[in-house]
Amino acid sequence: MSPVVRRWIIGAAGIAGVILLWWLVAVLVFPPAPGAANSAVPTPGQVLAQIVADGPALYWKYFSVTLTETGVGYLWGNGIALLLSAVVLLLPRFETVLMQLAVISYCIPIVALGSIAVIILGGAKTAGDPSATAVFLAAVSVFFTTVVGALHGLKAADPASLDVIDVLGGSRLTQLVKVRLIAALPSILNALSIAVPAAFLGAVLGEYMGKIDVSVGTLMITSQVQMDSPRVWALFLLSALAALVGYALVGLLARLVTPWSTGRTQA
């Protein structure tokens, strides 16, 4: 049996085990209370039935807004992080300031930061538009991870290669473009993979702050108020799936762009 087939079998068995455990917990530990319409933990079948009953159109209406916020915040947060990390290689004294900024963005409670952002940035201008606060929190959520990954990768360049460029009269910018960026690609792409779920979480938290009518966060709040546990769980699973797909896509890109980082060679 090939390693690929073995991994698929193990993965499928793991998913089946999680679903079975979920069903057992829903039936044995959290059975529906007498007279209650739903239990706190619905079975996998009930959640799937809720998704089918709602239909793709309903979920896309809300997820399209949240995914837009996630994508815009992801690009802004990672773009600024990568740009500032490159500046550190040209201006080394700026590293301390950048790391302090990254640590502050990571340590400040995102809920408190979101409250301030709502006052300053507001939410969506009209129903169906992305929330400025959600975009901002998505950007903040990825900043620390990408800065650390980028700086670690940029500093992992081969000293001998850097010395060759230095001997030939090359500048720090030449070293950055021709050596450091190539050496840093695996670390940067790994950081960008981790940043996808973080950006999605930041966007949803921004939606919880309010001032937006159409989003995954608002639909979650509405479902919680109505005690509609199957829909809450459906949103949870679909959100996890969206974050997982984004993570996998960036991970696949990393494997294609940097095959040497996994011990493979390009064909």
Side-chain angles (χ1 to χ4, degrees):
M1 183 182 298
S2 68
V4 175
V5 175
R6 187 180 299 110
R7 286 198 298 268
W8 277 100
I9 292 176
I10 294 174
I15 294 174
V18 170
I19 294 176
L20 177 60
L21 178 62
W22 175 9
W23 182 82
L24 290 174
V25 170
V27 172
L28 301 178
V29 182
F30 294 96
N38 298 308
S39 63
V41 181
T43 64
Q46 290 173 327
V47 175
L48 180 60
Q50 182 68 55
I51 295 175
V52 173
D54 289 336
L58 173 69
Y59 290 107
W60 178 247
K61 174 183 177 182
Y62 294 93
F63 271 89
S64 61
V65 176
T66 301
L67 291 176
T68 300
E69 297 164 345
T70 301
V72 175
Y74 180 87
L75 292 176
W76 272 106
N78 288 317
I80 294 173
L82 293 175
L83 178 61
L84 294 180
S85 298
V87 170
V88 166
L89 272 300
L90 303 177
L91 302 172
R93 293 183 179 180
F94 183 64
E95 180 177 358
T96 302
V97 177
L98 177 58
M99 285 305 302
Q100 289 176 345
L101 181 62
V103 170
I104 290 173
S105 71
Y106 183 76
C107 293
I108 293 179
I110 195 168
V111 175
L113 193 61
S115 300
I116 297 174
V118 168
I119 297 173
I120 298 175
L121 301 175
K125 294 181 179 179
T126 60
D129 288 344
S131 165
T133 296
V135 171
F136 173 74
L137 292 186
V140 171
S141 298
V142 305
F143 185 76
F144 175 81
T145 302
T146 303
V147 165
V148 173
L151 287 179
H152 173 75
L154 291 171
K155 291 181 177 180
D158 180 24
S161 300
L162 297 175
D163 290 340
V164 169
I165 293 179
D166 188 42
V167 169
L168 295 176
S171 62
R172 288 180 181 270
L173 180 60
T174 304
Q175 292 179 335
L176 174 64
V177 174
K178 294 190 175 182
V179 177
R180 292 190 184 276
L181 283 179
I182 296 175
L185 274 178
S187 181
I188 290 175
L189 289 171
N190 284 337
L192 294 179
S193 298
I194 299 172
V196 175
F200 189 90
L201 176 60
V204 173
L205 288 176
E207 294 166 353
Y208 265 86
M209 299 292 101
K211 293 192 176 183
I212 184 169
D213 298 322
V214 180
S215 68
V216 172
T218 54
L219 185 57
M220 284 183 177
I221 294 173
T222 302
S223 301
Q224 290 171 357
V225 172
Q226 296 174 349
M227 299 299 291
D228 189 352
S229 58
R231 180 170 289 168
V232 171
W233 278 77
L235 290 169
F236 158 71
L237 291 179
L238 292 175
S239 297
L241 179 62
L244 180 61
V245 168
Y247 175 86
L249 288 176
V250 179
L252 177 61
L253 176 64
R255 292 174 64 87
L256 294 175
V257 174
T258 59
W260 66 86
S261 66
T262 57
R264 298 181 295 114
T265 57
Q266 288 180 319

